[in-house]
Amino acid sequence: MQITTTVNGTEVTRDVEPRLLLVHFLRDTLGLTGTHWGCDTSNCGTCVVLMDGEPVKSCTVLAAMTEGHEVRTVEGLATGGTLDPVQQGFMEEHGLQCGFCTPGMMLTARALLDRSPDPDETEIREAISGQICRCTGYATIVRSVRWAAEHPAEAAASDIKAAEEVPA
């Protein structure tokens, strides 16, 4: 079947198998490998992307379900060569260690900050509660999100323009 969706600000049309998962569409069809594939059971949250601004676990969404919707991956966070405050916060506050959960954490944080620009620690922990990090103990992730909340003007926070082009 043919689908047309917007990924990181670029409209793409592709032929896909109806049962193709979004995580595989992004990684294998579009070459956007920033979205990680972890447990394949929706437990770990490493595959989180934004669909119409809301975090979704891309291992539980069919690519066909994105028809007519906007999908944003970690590749779409930076705009015009400028890091999103969430990305900058993860650098400033050392919010990652191995980096496997980081793309999903960053997108969840972006959605939280778009909805609640000044979240407290409890709100941040609740927002990321659906994602597993086996390295950090979450303290640095929470500090990273707080940093981003305190520095919203450091980058174009919610602009969905692509930092990298989606392959044609």
Side-chain angles (χ1 to χ4, degrees), residues 2-82:
Q2 189 175 75
I3 63 167
T4 299
T5 187
T6 301
V7 179
N8 297 332
T10 301
E11 188 174 276
V12 295
T13 300
R14 296 289 190 281
D15 288 320
V16 299
E17 186 176 318
R19 63 184 177 183
L20 180 67
L21 292 173
L22 178 57
V23 66
H24 299 303
F25 176 70
L26 294 169
R27 292 180 59 81
D28 303 334
T29 304
L30 299 183
L32 298 171
T33 57
T35 301
H36 293 163
W37 179 37
C39 65
D40 208 23
T41 61
S42 80
N43 289 318
C44 72
T46 61
C47 67
V48 168
V49 297
L50 301 182
M51 188 163 134
D52 297 333
E54 292 299 317
V56 296
K57 293 179 179 178
S58 62
C59 72
T60 63
V61 175
L62 297 173
M65 295 168 68
T66 68
E67 170 74 32
H69 294 278
E70 291 187 20
V71 174
R72 190 174 186 191
T73 69
V74 71
E75 290 92 345
L77 278 178
T79 57
T82 303

Side-chain angles (χ1 to χ4, degrees), residues 107-118:
L107 289 160
T108 298
R110 170 50 40 221
L112 170 65
L113 294 174
D114 287 346
R115 171 175 77 249
S116 177
D118 190 27

Side-chain angles (χ1 to χ4, degrees), residues 74 77-79 82-92 106 148:
V74 71
L77 278 178
T79 57
T82 303
L83 294 178
D84 183 275
V86 171
Q87 292 171 305
Q88 189 68 38
F90 269 69
M91 284 179 38
E92 298 292 334
M106 286 184 182

